[in-house]
Amino acid sequence: MTYTDPVTRAGSPAYAATDRYTVISADCHAGADLLDYKPYLEKRHHDAFDAWAATYVNPYEDLLADTADRNWNSDRRVAELEADGIVAEVVFPNTIPPFFPSASLMAPAPTRQEYEQRWAGLRAHNRWLADFCGAAPGRRAGVFQILLNDVEEAVKEIRRAVGAGLTGGVLVPGTPPGSGLPELYSGTYDPLWAVCAELGVPVNHHAGSASPPLGEEPAARAVFMVETTWFSHRALWHLMFGGAFRRHPELKLVLTEQGSGWIPGVLAMLDYYHGRLVAAVSRRDTAESKFGAGLAEAMGKGPSEVWRDNCYVGASFMRPHEAALRDRVGLDKIMWGSDYPHDEGTHPYSREGLRTAYAGLPAAEVAAMVGGNAARVYGFDLSCLDKIAARVGPTVGEIAEPLKEPPAGATSPVFAPGGGARVW
């Protein structure tokens, strides 16, 4: 059965194969085992890599566990995702790139040599990722990494990565307070937006990559959990108010693993400030007039229009209250994700997670959110994926059935008691 979603803007189709959904996870994570990055490094960095790797202590327990190979074992991933009803994935990074103290691209690197080594490490990851995606043709859209400290070098790496077959677009780190980098609204980064628009690949901004360091006290860790998604949201209004979408109308921004229930309220707030500041320009005798000077010309369209035309959300482990807001967010904007292989992800209970979020909704709308939209944004070929989904995808009837109670042992927030009230 092929579903055409009448709500999806511009008639973009959403599909399901026969009576099954074609499920694409718009949020998965992968990376090489530490020593396996060496062949992907330029040889001039091999000795430095050996010295670094010999003393490096991985700070992440999940990368030391028996299940760590889910990050790089291609056959295991395919089997586990298929068992979970998923036929394709957008692949964000997860393991530690060479020469980094942690996975954070914003970790301080005070010397030029360290910056050069970290660029080498990111290129090694991107090369590895191209091979990893090539091991499952048509089923992985790899998201490649850059640093923001050298825009010219970043543009070169974007071109190289796209040329190597990575279709997931670029992962743009945030610029948290204290980073020493220009904010994302700065014209400094315009060459990045230009090349992504030219090549037709998304700019991705993932949760957790934009928070300032807060320390390790219990209160600091709690504050991080409360604030980390807000810091990630900042990329939205920075690029909007900075005029990136006016200068590059084809640019696509994807905000991933940040929830989706916050979007209608934030768009209303941004529309309010935009309208208020633009109107204030004509009242030159007011103190507020200077805040709106040049804003209308820089932005072009207002925030809600920019969202409608240029923005998407990777709505990982989507919850019922978020699905209820789908028309306000934009049905053609929402891309479900399992967050495999993270503990907070829905694996191995993604079918149950889909039932929790989407039971009772029109099948065409579900098909758009669980796969059709991601196929359009990331360039997956649904005619190929539908054939796999006909074998492993969840059935329309299965997802339509409400879940009476969460699976025992499930750790995803989608199953948390009272989780439906949280809007992130």
Side-chain angles (χ1 to χ4, degrees):
M1 181 189 306
T2 298
Y3 296 108
T4 301
D5 172 13
V7 182
T8 300
R9 183 165 48 84
S12 299
Y15 301 91
T18 62
D19 65 337
R20 296 177 183 266
Y21 289 116
T22 300
V23 181
I24 300 170
S25 173
D27 181 26
C28 287
H29 296 265
D33 198 3
L34 187 67
L35 298 180
D36 289 342
Y37 276 125
K38 184 175 178 178
Y40 293 94
L41 280 166
E42 296 160 299
K43 288 185 179 180
R44 63 190 177 95
H45 294 292
H46 282 189
D47 289 345
F49 175 78
D50 290 341
W52 172 79
T55 60
Y56 183 75
V57 178
N58 198 312
Y60 300 106
E61 292 183 5
D62 63 320
L63 297 180
L64 300 172
D66 293 340
T67 55
D69 75 321
R70 289 173 176 168
N71 285 282
W72 55 79
N73 186 329
S74 182
D75 291 340
R76 178 176 185 172
R77 282 180 78 98
V78 169
E80 291 192 353
L81 289 173
E82 285 191 358
D84 224 16
I86 298 168
V87 299
E89 55 176 329
V90 179
V91 186
F92 287 86
N94 197 45
T95 60
I96 310 300
F99 304 114
F100 279 76
S102 69
S104 173
L105 302 187
M106 297 308 300
T111 70
R112 183 64 192 178
Q113 181 184 14
E114 286 176 290
Y115 272 125
E116 290 175 355
Q117 288 178 337
R118 291 187 188 183
W119 264 114
L122 291 190
R123 291 190 193 95
H125 169 81
N126 295 342
R127 294 183 187 110
W128 173 88
L129 183 60
D131 280 353
F132 185 71
C133 291
R139 301 182 69 171
R140 293 176 180 146
V143 178
F144 47 90
Q145 300 184 82
I146 60 168
L147 289 173
L148 294 177
N149 65 295
D150 188 332
V151 173
E152 183 179 347
E153 201 64 35
V155 169
K156 291 179 182 177
E157 182 58 19
I158 290 170
R159 290 192 180 279
R160 193 208 63 77
V162 173
L166 293 174
T167 59
V170 63
L171 176 63
V172 172
T175 55
S179 70
L181 292 172
E183 297 283 6
L184 286 180
Y185 55 71
S186 171
T188 302
Y189 304 118
D190 206 55
L192 299 182
W193 320 142
V195 71
C196 288
E198 174 196 338
L199 298 176
V201 294
V203 170
N204 302 278
H205 192 62
H206 195 281
S209 65
S211 299
L214 295 171
E216 292 298 326
E217 296 183 33
R221 293 193 292 270
V223 167
F224 173 84
M225 288 298 293
V226 172
E227 293 182 348
T228 185
T229 50
W230 181 87
F231 276 106
S232 297
H233 299 343
R234 293 173 79 224
L236 175 64
W237 51 82
H238 280 223
L239 267 67
M240 282 182 171
F241 289 144
F245 302 104
R246 181 192 65 78
R247 294 188 298 275
H248 310 289
E250 302 304 315
L251 185 65
K252 294 181 287 188
L253 173 66
V254 181
L255 303 171
T256 297
E257 203 175 328
Q258 304 175 31
S260 61
W262 58 277
I263 292 170
V266 165
L267 289 178
M269 176 193 71
L270 297 177
D271 284 338
Y272 164 75
Y273 279 111
H274 175 263
R276 173 178 165 182
L277 293 174
V278 169
V281 173
S282 63
R283 299 189 293 272
R284 299 188 181 277
D285 57 335
T286 66
E288 210 169 64
S289 63
K290 63 182 179 181
F291 288 97
L295 184 63
E297 294 81 4
M299 283 188 63
K301 297 175 290 189
S304 283
E305 293 175 282
V306 172
W307 176 266
R308 179 197 65 199
D309 294 338
N310 301 92
C311 303
Y312 304 86
V313 58
S316 306
F317 36 82
M318 198 170 180
R319 289 162 290 179
H321 78 278
E322 295 173 299
L325 296 171
R326 63 195 182 280
D327 289 335
R328 295 179 62 193
V329 174
L331 183 60
D332 60 330
K333 303 295 179 182
I334 297 168
M335 301 180 289
W336 177 88
S338 71
D339 198 30
Y340 176 96
H342 290 165
D343 290 342
E344 65 269 27
T346 51
H347 177 266
Y349 305 111
S350 291
R351 297 168 186 270
E352 290 83 356
L354 291 169
R355 289 172 61 189
T356 299
Y358 300 130
L361 301 187
E365 297 186 5
V366 176
M369 292 185 283
V370 304
N373 294 335
R376 176 165 42 86
V377 172
Y378 290 103
F380 288 102
D381 185 347
L382 282 172
S383 64
C384 294
L385 295 180
D386 285 348
K387 298 173 184 177
I388 305 170
R391 174 172 53 85
V392 304
T395 67
V396 172
E398 176 186 3
I399 302 306
E401 184 69 23
L403 189 69
K404 295 181 179 179
E405 59 183 37
T411 54
S412 173
V414 73
F415 302 117
R422 185 179 175 192
V423 298
W424 278 9

